[in-house]
Amino acid sequence: MKIVVIGGTGLIGSKLVTKLKQQGHEAVAASPKSGVNAVTGEGLAAVLAGADVIIDVANAPSWEPAAVLDFFQRSSKNLVAAEAAAAVKHHVALSIVGTDRSPDNGYFRAKLAQEAVIKSASIPYSIVRATQFFEFLGAIAETGAREGKIVVPSALFQPIAADDVVERLAEVATGQPINGTIDIAGPEKAPFNEFIARRLKASGDARPVIGDPQTPYYGAPIDDTSLNPLGEARLGTTPLAEWLATA
């Protein structure tokens, strides 16, 4: 099976290409580095020739609200048009749990717009919404840096290891399109600040971490329902302690 991974040189994409090749598939990493630009359409026709599945895990270079919205809308429209021309059988997209519950978050609004393009196209699809990755906990912490301490939300959080995301994406991509959305999350749920504190402690960062229910997440207020699956979800198997031991 030929599977094209859009954004195949990033964190998830590179791991995914390796995983799919190990499973015996013809996995192709497509990104601007390889001459494929979904936003402009450059290289799409060539790389999708003969493809059975595409998996879109590309990330926007800018998170400025207008720029990120333009990125996901343009790239998704170009992808589904090129897929129709190439008779691609399955479009898989990585999205975020809670995209439809945080209207004040510009990035989430852009991902929701991406999902709308996919759903309105003719290509059978599967959308995999993931919670935030363990790998991003350090960067998330820095958004709350305040005079020698870290202030982050105290809402419940259920992050997941990138390797577990890759496992689920490979599973979905090599199965039948679901023409719907599934949620994936980590095996543990706890207050946001507890995950951040454990990450900082493991890296030798002694700054105190304070959980504040009024502190926003990337500009948007959140509560216990904002970033976690509300119904059935496929859970990863990697607990934070195991991931920290090898990070």
Side-chain angles (χ1 to χ4, degrees):
M1 182 183 295
K2 180 179 178 180
I3 303 175
V4 177
V5 180
I6 305 296
T9 56
L11 169 66
I12 296 296
S14 58
K15 288 176 176 287
L16 186 54
V17 168
T18 298
K19 178 70 176 181
L20 293 167
K21 286 182 176 179
Q22 290 172 345
Q23 293 179 340
H25 300 290
E26 179 188 353
V28 180
S31 73
K33 292 181 180 179
S34 67
V36 179
N37 190 322
V39 175
T40 65
E42 178 188 1
L44 282 181
V47 78
L48 294 185
D52 300 288
V53 180
I54 77 102
I55 309 174
D56 185 4
V57 296
N59 201 359
S62 169
W63 287 16
E64 189 276 323
V68 72
L69 178 62
D70 180 67
F71 175 89
F72 283 118
Q73 286 186 318
R74 291 177 60 192
S75 62
S76 296
K77 288 176 181 178
N78 285 337
L79 280 173
V80 296
E83 288 164 17
V88 172
K89 303 176 183 68
H90 190 183
H91 179 114
V92 180
L94 177 62
S95 190
I96 306 171
V97 168
T99 52
D100 52 348
R101 301 195 296 272
S102 294
D104 295 326
N105 186 313
Y107 193 91
F108 280 28
R109 289 198 305 272
K111 293 299 286 185
L112 196 60
Q114 177 190 33
E115 293 182 12
V117 172
I118 295 166
K119 292 174 181 178
S120 66
S122 61
I123 314 300
Y125 71 92
S126 301
I127 295 172
V128 179
R129 288 179 173 177
T131 53
Q132 299 302 299
F133 307 156
F134 290 160
E135 286 77 1
F136 296 160
L137 292 177
I140 292 171
E142 291 308 320
T143 67
R146 307 279 192 281
E147 300 176 346
K149 59 183 181 292
I150 302 294
V151 182
V152 293
S154 57
L156 289 177
F157 199 37
Q158 196 171 350
I160 186 171
D163 285 346
D164 286 346
V165 175
V166 168
E167 288 285 341
R168 298 287 79 77
L169 282 171
E171 177 184 289
V172 170
T174 55
Q176 293 298 311
I178 63 174
N179 291 314
T181 301
I182 64 168
D183 286 352
I184 63 174
E188 303 167 292
K189 184 186 292 185
F192 199 111
N193 49 293
E194 289 186 15
F195 280 105
I196 298 298
R198 291 173 65 189
R199 177 68 181 98
L200 293 190
K201 182 179 179 180
S203 64
D205 191 328
R207 286 177 294 177
V209 178
I210 299 169
D212 175 14
Q214 303 304 317
T215 293
Y217 179 69
Y218 287 104
I222 62 170
D223 59 28
D224 287 347
T225 68
S226 299
L227 301 176
N228 306 302
L230 298 183
E232 182 180 353
R234 301 185 190 183
L235 302 183
T237 60
T238 307
L240 182 62
E242 179 180 323
W243 182 85
L244 288 172
T246 59

